Amino acid sequence: MKISQFLPAAMVLVLCASHSALATTIGFSQVGSESGWRTSFSESVKAEAKKRGIELKFSDAQQKQENQIKAVRSFIAQGVDAIMIAPVVETGWKPVLREAKRARIPVVILDRNVDASGDGLFLTRIASDFVEEGRRAARWLMDETDGNCRILELQGTVGATAAIDRMKGFNEVIADFPDATIVRSQTGEFTRTKGKEVMEAMLKAENGGRDICALWSHNDEMAIGAIQAIKEAGLKPGTDMLVVSVDGVPDYFKAMADGDANATVELNPHLGAPAFDVIEAYLKGDRKVEKLITTTGDLFTQATAAEEYAKRAGK
Ligand code: AHR
């Protein structure tokens, strides 16, 4: 005997409609909003979820891993269909990833890495090749300066893949140039404020920056803060001191168009669509998932900065 025999027709209709309208629910633990790039990434994930009718539970960790772990535990408790994590740092993820696995909730890692590859604790990671970004920035700088350059480096968040790998790639390339040296290197935590503050201190310690040929910044946001510090120190950024960075955010294209910055390696912020593709396919039973899905971007210079800025800032 069917339950519907005991229910009025209208109620059966309501039950059927609400069942078919059940949306896929995905929890997303995001690093924070430390940079323009990160904000575009979050916005793009939210827009893509809306387009696909996915119910997105978004959590901003304010650059703290402990907040991310709490958010993931809460997603598990709510019984979401899948979890996406854009991790602050690489270490410390295994216990909570095991909890998600025990609850049979698939996890996708976005952008920075976690030190749990090979343990079958996540479906896939969608990210750029950060080591290559560092290499490309360094190759551009070595070409521009004939390999003769005293460099200041602004590192990203300590322990974050984007900082570890960009530094590695950059150092690998300049190792072939005996007259290229990083004279000072410090973290600016990927933020504009800290980038400026740290740059001020480094310039002070380096005779106002007069013998420095370039700033290598692990992201545009810190570079923009540092450009301000270079100006306040009485130097012309982009001319007296070259500025090379990573991300390709509109504000940095503006700085290049104005002659204050020189080059950036673009980082694609549109990670929502490929992540949802993987998750939706997995939930439908497709188990053939690549362990790493790599995104790419170009290196941009002042040559095309004005037109790129117009496109990106919607002008
Ligand atoms: O992990 C990627 C980095 O994180 C971006 O380059 C930076 O802008 C962001 O905060």
Side-chain angles (χ1 to χ4, degrees), residues 293-306:
I293 299 169
T294 312
T295 61
T296 54
D298 294 322
L299 182 135
F300 291 90
T301 64
Q302 290 181 351
T304 57

Side-chain angles (χ1 to χ4, degrees), residues 112 153-160 162-164 166-167 186-191 217-219 222:
R112 304 174 192 170
E153 178 181 42
L154 278 173
Q155 297 174 27
T157 304
V158 175
I164 299 168
R166 285 173 187 161
M167 188 192 285
Q186 216 178 305
T187 180
E189 289 161 19
F190 280 130
T191 69
S217 173
H218 290 188
N219 81 343
M222 293 187 293

Side-chain angles (χ1 to χ4, degrees), residues 34-35 37-38 111-112 130 162 166 190 218-219 247 267:
E34 73 284 359
S35 67
W37 180 84
R38 183 74 51 190
D111 186 45
R112 304 174 192 170
F130 297 128
R166 285 173 187 161
F190 280 130
H218 290 188
N219 81 343
D247 275 355
L267 179 66

